[in-house]
Amino acid sequence: MPTDAKVIETLEALNRGYLLAAEKRDVGWYAEHLTEDYMATNPDGSLVDKAGFLARFEKPHSMTNLRAPDVKIQLVGDVALLHAGFEDTKPVGSTGK
């Protein structure tokens, strides 16, 4: 059985992959790594299923340098909760949150 440190290291790598896939519009990464019952919150607060999420990332966007500051990972039995902020760089060079 992996140690908590190894589990956290794996989750941190997956979280970085999640952000990189968003920046590169890598729908294949999401299709491979997200469960079929995945749900996401859209910027407007609405919920979307995996298919809707994948469709969103097929569209062009101008976000670059995506990052998740202050990542906190909490292990609760066989479940992990990841909490993080979100920032990106806008085309004009300003930071978005």
Side-chain angles (χ1 to χ4, degrees):
M1 177 169 246
T3 65
D4 284 357
K6 184 65 175 168
V7 170
I8 288 173
E9 181 182 312
T10 299
L11 292 169
E12 288 171 337
L14 285 168
N15 194 50
R16 285 189 302 274
Y18 185 96
L19 291 171
L20 185 60
E23 188 168 324
K24 295 181 180 267
R25 297 183 10 231
D26 185 354
V27 176
W29 189 95
Y30 288 121
E32 178 183 342
H33 289 88
L34 301 178
T35 64
E36 291 308 311
D37 61 351
Y38 178 81
M39 299 290 291
T41 305
N42 284 319
D44 67 2
S46 63
L47 286 176
V48 64
D49 63 8
K50 181 178 179 179
F53 180 81
L54 295 178
R56 187 172 88 197
F57 279 99
E58 290 175 338
K59 299 174 186 171
H61 64 75
S62 59
M63 296 183 299
T64 60
N65 194 25
L66 276 62
R67 52 212 176 273
D70 303 321
V71 176
K72 292 175 183 59
I73 298 175
Q74 180 182 6
L75 300 177
V76 184
D78 291 339
V79 175
L81 303 171
L82 279 75
H83 301 274
F86 176 79
E87 295 177 351
D88 66 313
T89 301
K90 305 294 183 197
V92 295
S94 63
T95 299
K97 292 184 179 190

